[in-house]
């Protein structure tokens, strides 16, 4: 891989000085000839980045009852998921490289804010990934009570993290096809459960609502967590076969798959079983399966939950580790983050992400969800600003997939999710807010520290010569 020192970027000519200049698409450099990800694996990678099935949606019923839970998974995707997926499709095809949203923000707002975006989204992703060992063991502890706590639970978390980390190390193509297999396995028992539940369904149960007893903080955080992270796939854009066409198609099919995977299991669970809101917590779908079909169906759902959490862990770790690789290729992180293993995977990024998961896996489900949502909201604000700013400043730049409606349409598209971000942040607890703001403050200091280290040449920073230059003025001609 040919590299040039990051000081070269200072001498580059900004796009703002080249009237009508367009961003020239160049694939992200790859250290080997490993196969790129095709459409079907990409759909399931997105599915696992965002969802992985209905495991984890139970708290919406606990917080707000059946009616608001069902409405939430119909309305919330229109307010949040669809706009985020559309923005990801446009920006991901405009910048088809592994930096993803870091490159978007850097090109619009400069490398300082690009780094902040990378820090907040990587930290949010690692926090998110710490959920999956927790959820995995929560679904199994009814069958294996020893996994409920203590040393057995700690050892199980470590073993699971090590095994799944190794699979990420072996290659993204393997992870993609494993995601397809795990996706089918995690959805299938709910198809069977749906058929069994038909004679027991009572539509009146779906309409139960009590506005005065809604836990809005839990309700919104659970909805938000289950329907975000559509932009995470952008950090793998450099590994995708023909991303200009493949990425928008994959996002479209993944939105449909995710919404269906949430809505129909909730229809089954709330319509076929008498309501007990206190029971609707993480892992309750396995109890519903036992009520409807017996022990064999509960074991199947528990197994599906286990493989679903494996799939989500692998997809998230792939996104987080390739993001670090993309940032290193842009000179934002030391060069060793850009080194690939013989399987084409970012070894250092994988190790950093796995370490973060192990350190955070002791937190509770609700604490993890609230903390990662807070950080994720900050990152999304920067993405919306970058999206609109690039539309205003460079309307003629190459966009293989472009959302219709012009600049006004771009602004209008961002308004509903921006309002939702404000609502989610407003309902955050003081504890979560303080911890999250401390994490943001660390990023504000960390970037100047890394620049100082680069200036002193204590570590080597490089920008890949195969990528277009970006400065505070936007994308550049290569």
């Amino acid at each position: 891989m040919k590299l040039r020192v990051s000081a070269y970027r200072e001498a580059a000519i900004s796009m703002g000085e080249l009237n009508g200049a367009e961003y020239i698409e160049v694939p992200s450099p790859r250290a080997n000839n490993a196969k790129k990800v095709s459409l079907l694996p990409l759909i399931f990678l997105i599915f696992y980045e965002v969802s992985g099935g209905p495991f984890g949606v139970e708290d919406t019923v606990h917080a707000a009852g059946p009616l608001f839970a069902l409405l939430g998974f119909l309305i919330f995707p229109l307010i949040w998921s669809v706009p985020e997926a559309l923005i990801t499709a446009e920006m991901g095809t405009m910048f088809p490289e592994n930096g993803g949203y870091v490159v978007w923000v850097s090109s619009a707002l400069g490398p300082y804010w690009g780094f902040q975006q990378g820090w907040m989204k990587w930290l949010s992703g690692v926090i998110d990934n710490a959920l999956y060992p927790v959820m995995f063991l929560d679904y199994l502890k009814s069958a294996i009570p020893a996994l409920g706590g203590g040393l057995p639970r700690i050892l199980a978390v470590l073993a699971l993290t090590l095994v799944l980390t190794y699979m990420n190390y072996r290659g993204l193509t393997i992870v993609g096809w494993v995601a397809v297999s795990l996706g089918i396995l995690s959805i299938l028992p709910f198809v069977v459960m749906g058929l069994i539940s038909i004679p027991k369904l009572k539509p009146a149960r779906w309409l139960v609502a009590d506005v005065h007893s809604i836990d809005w903080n839990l309700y919104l955080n659970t909805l938000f967590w289950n329907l975000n992270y559509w932009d995470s796939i952008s950090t793998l854009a450099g590994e995708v076969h023909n991303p200009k066409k493949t990425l928008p198609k994959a996002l479209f099919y993944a939105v449909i798959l995710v919404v269906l995977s949430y809505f129909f299991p909730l229809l089954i669970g709330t319509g076929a079983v008498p309501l007990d809101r206190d029971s609707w917590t993480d892992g309750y779908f396995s109890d519903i399966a036992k009520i409807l079909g017996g022990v064999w169906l509960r074991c199947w759902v528990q197994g599906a939950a286990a493989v679903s959490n494996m799939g989500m862990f692998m997809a998230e770790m792939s996104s987080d580790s390739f993001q670090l690789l993309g940032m290193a290729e842009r000179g934002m992180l030391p060069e060793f983050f850009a080194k690939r293993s013989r399987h084409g995977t970012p070894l250092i990024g994988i190790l950093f992400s796995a370490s973060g998961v192990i350190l955070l896996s002791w937190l509770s489900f609700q604490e993890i969800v609230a903390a990662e949502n807070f950080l994720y909201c900050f990152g999304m604000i920067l993405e919306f600003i970058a999206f609109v700013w690039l539309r205003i400043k460079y309307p003629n730049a190459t966009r293989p997939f472009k959302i219709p409606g012009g600049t006004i349409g771009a602004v209008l598209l961002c308004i509903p999710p921006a309002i939702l971000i404000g609502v989610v942040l407003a309902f955050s607890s003081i504890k979560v807010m303080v911890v999250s703001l401390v994490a943001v403050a660390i990023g504000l200091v960390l970037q100047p520290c890394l620049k100082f280290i680069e200036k002193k040449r204590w570590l080597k920073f490089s920008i890949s010569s195969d990528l277009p230059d970006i400065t505070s003025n936007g994308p550049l001609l290569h």
Side-chain angles (χ1 to χ4, degrees), residues 44-56 132 135 182-183 185-187 190 226 257-258 261-262 304-305 307-312:
F44 278 89
L45 281 171
I46 298 171
F47 172 70
Y48 275 120
E49 291 275 11
V50 177
S51 166
F55 315 105
Y132 304 129
M135 293 176 64
L182 296 182
L185 290 173
S186 60
I187 292 171
F190 290 96
N226 279 287
L257 181 61
V258 166
S261 73
Y262 287 146
V307 299
S308 174
N309 283 287
M310 290 168 60
M312 288 187 285

Side-chain angles (χ1 to χ4, degrees), residues 213-233:
S213 65
I214 295 177
D215 183 344
W216 288 105
N217 185 32
L218 179 60
Y219 176 68
L220 290 173
N221 270 311
T222 305
L223 277 175
F224 193 69
W225 175 68
N226 279 287
L227 287 164
N228 62 17
Y229 282 88
W230 296 95
D231 59 341
S232 293
I233 202 65

Side-chain angles (χ1 to χ4, degrees), residues 156-358:
V157 168
L158 289 174
L160 181 64
T161 302
L162 290 174
V163 169
L164 298 180
T165 299
Y166 176 73
M167 293 186 70
N168 273 272
Y169 163 74
R170 287 301 306 272
L172 189 58
T173 304
I174 292 175
V175 170
W177 284 108
V178 168
V180 174
S181 304
L182 296 182
I184 294 171
L185 290 173
S186 60
I187 292 171
L188 195 56
F190 290 96
V191 176
V192 175
M193 192 188 300
L195 295 174
I196 293 173
S197 71
I198 291 175
K200 302 178 182 179
L201 290 175
K202 295 183 179 180
R205 291 173 176 164
W206 296 329
L207 304 178
V208 176
D210 184 0
V211 178
H212 301 293
S213 65
I214 295 177
D215 183 344
W216 288 105
N217 185 32
L218 179 60
Y219 176 68
L220 290 173
N221 270 311
T222 305
L223 277 175
F224 193 69
W225 175 68
N226 279 287
L227 287 164
N228 62 17
Y229 282 88
W230 296 95
D231 59 341
S232 293
I233 202 65
S234 68
T235 64
L236 305 174
E239 312 300 309
V240 174
H241 173 72
N242 191 11
K244 291 188 295 183
K245 294 183 178 179
T246 305
L247 186 60
K249 285 183 180 178
L251 283 161
F252 172 77
Y253 292 122
V255 168
I256 297 173
L257 181 61
V258 166
V259 173
L260 292 179
S261 73
Y262 287 146
F263 188 74
F264 282 104
L266 278 174
L267 274 180
I268 297 165
T270 56
V273 177
L275 178 63
D276 179 6
R277 277 177 60 174
D278 290 337
S279 297
W280 278 87
T281 56
D282 185 31
Y284 186 57
F285 270 120
S286 63
D287 295 331
I288 293 174
K290 182 181 178 182
I291 294 169
L292 295 177
V295 175
W296 68 272
L297 188 55
R298 182 183 73 173
C299 293
W300 194 2
V301 169
Q302 287 175 333
V307 299
S308 174
N309 283 287
M310 290 168 60
M312 288 187 285
F313 186 101
M314 291 190 298
E316 184 64 59
M317 180 167 283
S318 295
S319 174
D320 296 341
S321 57
F322 273 101
Q323 179 198 319
L324 296 181
L325 180 145
M327 291 177 71
E329 289 177 345
R330 282 293 178 186
M332 296 181 182
L333 292 176
E335 183 185 315
F336 60 79
F337 277 99
K339 301 295 183 184
R340 295 179 185 249
S341 71
R342 60 190 179 92
H343 302 290
T345 50
L347 178 59
I348 303 300
I350 288 173
L351 292 176
F352 264 72
S353 299
S355 300
V357 168
I358 292 172

Side-chain angles (χ1 to χ4, degrees), residues 127 131 362-373 431-432:
I127 294 172
L131 278 172
W362 59 271
L363 295 172
S364 72
F365 181 89
Q366 287 78 13
E367 287 175 327
I368 293 174
V369 169
E372 67 145 304
N373 281 352
K431 177 183 175 182
V432 168

Side-chain angles (χ1 to χ4, degrees), residues 74-91 104 227-231 251 255 376 380 383-384 387 391 401 403 409-421:
L74 287 179
I75 298 172
F76 202 95
L78 298 176
I79 299 173
W80 181 265
S81 301
V82 171
E84 187 182 4
L86 287 171
I87 291 171
T88 300
E90 177 171 318
M91 302 296 285
W104 313 346
L227 287 164
N228 62 17
Y229 282 88
W230 296 95
D231 59 341
L251 283 161
V255 168
Y376 190 82
M380 288 308 304
E383 282 186 33
F384 293 153
F387 168 65
R391 275 292 191 97
F401 174 87
I403 304 168
V411 173
L412 294 175
L413 183 69
C414 294
I415 290 175
I419 293 172
L420 184 61
I421 285 175

